[in-house]
Amino acid sequence: MISLDSIETAYALLHQKRNVYIHSRLSWQRDDIELAVASFADAMSPELYALLSAGRPDYLRDHARFGDDLARAVEQLEAML
């Protein structure tokens, strides 16, 4: 079972990181955000991560797809609130 607290925590962090990520033009800042989100994903509720990732093991960890993954995660979490 996924707790509301874990959904709220994930939403708050990912929403904030997404907002900075989409407006940043600094490559080092975007890289730092990718690392922070990947670290958060590692510690996230396994059930929540499985739901968001739809079984994709590199979800929120693949540099080439990170922006899309992050936007999708925020949309999914918002719908769950």
Side-chain angles (χ1 to χ4, degrees):
M1 181 173 163
I2 302 169
S3 72
L4 180 59
D5 184 54
S6 65
I7 295 168
E8 290 173 339
T9 299
Y11 177 76
L13 182 125
L14 296 179
H15 183 267
Q16 185 270 339
K17 296 297 183 192
R18 185 209 57 190
N19 286 346
V20 175
Y21 186 85
I22 63 176
H23 295 291
S24 177
R25 298 295 171 245
L26 304 171
S27 61
W28 64 265
Q29 185 177 44
R30 291 172 68 103
D31 289 345
D32 284 354
I33 291 169
E34 288 184 39
L35 289 173
V37 169
S39 179
F40 178 76
D42 290 340
M44 184 186 292
S45 154
E47 295 86 4
L48 181 57
Y49 184 80
L51 179 69
L52 295 174
S53 69
R56 220 180 87 224
D58 64 347
Y59 189 71
L60 295 172
R61 296 178 178 96
D62 179 359
H63 177 74
R65 297 176 68 171
F66 181 79
D68 292 336
D69 286 351
L70 185 57
R72 182 172 177 262
V74 170
E75 289 173 9
Q76 288 177 283
L77 289 162
E78 189 171 332
M80 295 169 77
L81 292 174

